[in-house]
Amino acid sequence: MRKVVLTFLILAVGSPCFAKYSGGTGEPNTPYQIANAADLMTLANDANDYNKCFIMIADVNLDSNLPDGQIFTTAIIARDINSANYVFDGRSFTGVFDGNGHRITNLTINSHGDKKGYLGLFGDVCECEIKNLGLENVFISSDTNSRFVGGLIGSNDHFSFSNFNTVRDCYSSGSIVCGSGSHYIGGLAGWNNGNISNSFSKVAVNAGDAAYTIGGLVGVNKGPLANCFATGNVAGGNNSGTIGGLVADYFADINNCYSTGNVSGGNNSGYLGGLAAHCYSGNISNCYSTGNVTGGNNSNTIGGLIAAGQSISNCYSTGTVSGGSGSNFLGGLVATGNPFSITSCYFLTGSGPDNHLGTPLTDTQMKQQASFVGWDFVWETTNGTDDVWAICEGVSYPKLAWQFIAGDSDNDKNVDFIDFAPLANKWMQADSNLYCGGADLNGDGIVDMLDIAVFTENWLVGL
Ligand SMILES: [Ca+2]
Ligand SMILES: [Ca+2]
Ligand SMILES: [Ca+2]
Ligand SMILES: [Ca+2]
């Protein structure tokens, strides 16, 4: 009899009727499990859980056409309760959200009315950790004077200076469209005052007239960025300013990042930069941008890499820099800056005016490692052993070595059986190196056991 009672108790405690999510207790060792949209909405609707730990155990599709789907009008998690001002009125998310390599797809937010803000999957996060999360095909639209809008996070901030939050191994794709007068808009985060690393955005960002601080990854960036990139086009309308392919305004270091989207402003726009718009403090090193930067008539301060910078080293830009009639302060690499330090930085000859800030290089020179003085490339030790840069000599411009995984021949960001075929096909033969798409993974000119060793070392990386 006692055994029967005990069994009943165990069943009752473990019963799904009592489980709030798909498992877990919310503690660090046993995070709440998010397995579907219902679990995500349970989290969204219970602010008392915003300081708990969560892990996704399946992809979640938020398509509004699904039976339970909806088009949201606010952020999902940590939303601004009173949206009639720019102050965050709500509970910030302060917990841990581990996407565990899963994706949240098709999030749509249509926020109508003036002065809406804190829009994204997370409206406002503080001293939290968000990691290993993909946000695919996000679409956010908002009206005039929006603030703090990002695909993943509206505002990423902290209460104390000793406890920065962390966003790592996250990405977003889709589009964001904001009305005129909007500020602090980014493809991943509108405002960042924490650490962001190993993350990217493929979000197209469009803001209207008189919009400011619009970035492909982050709008206003106050925390360190490393190993990040953005590919979306970033556009503002007339009288808009501080628009950047990766970030707009920045106050902290940016290292090992790049952007490829085009940056544009309308008439009377200012401070447009391929990578970043306006530096308040912080160094930019080992970065590049390839997007075109375009202002309308009477625009000013337009730079291939940065509009107004301070300390910049080991960077390049290749996109064209142009403004309409009456525009001024244009530069191939940087438009202006004070105080100024530019070390070993280059721009493609003819891409923009040579204002003697940065060194112009021809297309041929840009494809030669020797042109980049002092840069720490792979397979050389003279300039360091961090091996930041890699180049396919004579074929393409330098890339950041972290963009490549040795052995990932099909470039799908993991190393598995499919990637073994090129090694077998070229076995004991001369071949090009991995940065040129070849099977010679250690760069000694031949495909042999040494390359197998590199391949083995990276086996199942990314999975
Ligand atoms: Ca508010
Ligand atoms: Ca090196
Ligand atoms: Ca692969
Ligand atoms: Ca080799």
Side-chain angles (χ1 to χ4, degrees), residues 407-419 461:
D408 178 25
S409 61
D410 64 353
N411 199 31
D412 68 347
K413 300 304 172 196
N414 60 56
V415 178
D416 55 21
F417 278 111
I418 290 165
D419 301 307
V461 159

Side-chain angles (χ1 to χ4, degrees), residues 2-15:
R2 170 178 288 185
K3 189 177 178 184
V4 170
V5 171
L6 196 61
T7 305
F8 173 78
L9 280 173
I10 290 169
L11 280 174
V13 169
S15 157

Side-chain angles (χ1 to χ4, degrees), residues 343-366:
T343 310
S344 300
C345 289
Y346 308 92
F347 65 96
L348 182 62
T349 302
S351 61
D354 181 4
N355 57 359
H356 305 289
L357 302 176
T359 307
L361 294 177
T362 64
D363 175 71
T364 300
Q365 290 171 319
M366 289 284 280

Side-chain angles (χ1 to χ4, degrees), residues 440-448 450-451:
D440 173 23
L441 305 185
N442 71 340
D444 64 356
I446 187 166
V447 180
D448 62 11
L450 294 176
D451 303 303

Side-chain angles (χ1 to χ4, degrees), residues 80-90 115 117-118:
D80 189 20
I81 306 298
N82 171 14
S83 60
N85 55 40
Y86 296 136
V87 179
F88 181 68
D89 303 294
K115 298 184 178 178
Y118 301 94

Side-chain angles (χ1 to χ4, degrees), residues 101-452:
H102 291 291
R103 306 172 301 167
I104 295 173
T105 54
N106 302 312
L107 165 61
T108 299
I109 301 173
N110 287 338
S111 183
H112 294 297
D114 190 45
K115 298 184 178 178
K116 301 294 185 184
Y118 301 94
L119 303 177
L121 177 67
F122 294 86
D124 186 275
V125 301
C126 248
E127 299 180 6
C128 72
E129 187 177 6
I130 299 175
K131 59 190 176 185
N132 310 316
L133 176 60
L135 186 66
E136 290 186 5
N137 198 29
V138 60
F139 177 73
I140 300 176
S141 66
S142 67
D143 293 340
T144 49
N145 300 307
S146 302
R147 298 281 193 278
F148 305 103
V149 180
L152 183 67
I153 299 168
S155 173
N156 182 27
D157 217 321
H158 56 83
F159 301 119
S160 76
F161 282 96
S162 59
N163 196 3
F164 272 58
N165 45 19
T166 299
V167 176
R168 65 170 176 82
D169 298 293
C170 291
Y171 68 86
S172 55
S173 69
S175 67
I176 294 175
V177 180
C178 294
S180 62
S182 296
H183 291 209
Y184 321 136
I185 317 293
L188 191 76
W191 175 279
N192 173 50
N193 200 349
N195 293 296
I196 298 183
S197 63
N198 299 72
S199 296
F200 64 86
S201 170
K202 296 186 173 183
V203 174
V205 183
N206 260 281
D209 294 342
Y212 281 81
T213 55
I214 318 297
L217 187 81
V218 173
V220 171
N221 187 62
K222 295 195 155 196
L225 283 186
N227 298 2
C228 292
F229 68 88
T231 66
N233 294 338
V234 188
N238 296 329
N239 305 301
S240 58
T242 52
I243 304 172
L246 187 77
V247 306
D249 287 349
Y250 66 96
F251 299 72
D253 292 349
I254 299 175
N255 295 310
N256 299 2
C257 296
Y258 68 91
S259 61
T260 63
N262 296 324
V263 171
S264 62
N267 295 331
N268 306 302
S269 55
Y271 292 87
L272 314 177
L275 185 83
H278 194 183
C279 176
Y280 288 84
S281 62
N283 306 312
I284 289 192
S285 64
N286 296 314
C287 292
Y288 70 87
S289 67
T290 63
N292 300 327
V293 190
T294 311
N297 295 335
N298 302 309
S299 295
N300 71 84
T301 321
I302 306 173
L305 188 78
I306 300 170
Q310 289 182 6
S311 170
I312 309 160
S313 60
N314 296 21
C315 293
Y316 75 84
S317 65
T318 63
T320 58
V321 176
S322 60
S325 66
S327 297
N328 53 33
F329 302 113
L330 276 61
L333 185 82
V334 183
T336 182
N338 186 30
F340 233 168
S341 159
I342 297 180
T343 310
S344 300
C345 289
Y346 308 92
F347 65 96
L348 182 62
T349 302
S351 61
D354 181 4
N355 57 359
H356 305 289
L357 302 176
T359 307
L361 294 177
T362 64
D363 175 71
T364 300
Q365 290 171 319
M366 289 284 280
K367 294 171 180 168
Q368 293 168 338
Q369 181 171 329
S371 303
F372 298 88
V373 177
W375 287 31
D376 185 352
F377 278 89
V378 298
W379 302 328
E380 61 80 41
T381 55
T382 309
N383 299 314
T385 54
D386 289 336
D387 297 349
V388 175
W389 293 98
I391 193 168
C392 183
E393 185 76 17
V395 174
S396 52
Y397 302 158
K399 296 272 177 66
L400 292 157
W402 68 258
Q403 290 179 248
F404 300 85
I405 301 171
D408 178 25
S409 61
D410 64 353
N411 199 31
D412 68 347
K413 300 304 172 196
N414 60 56
V415 178
D416 55 21
F417 278 111
I418 290 165
D419 301 307
F420 187 72
L423 281 167
N425 289 339
K426 294 285 185 173
W427 188 244
M428 295 309 286
Q429 297 173 41
D431 195 24
S432 58
N433 69 56
L434 76 145
Y435 305 111
C436 294
D440 173 23
L441 305 185
N442 71 340
D444 64 356
I446 187 166
V447 180
D448 62 11
M449 281 308 292
L450 294 176
D451 303 303
I452 294 289

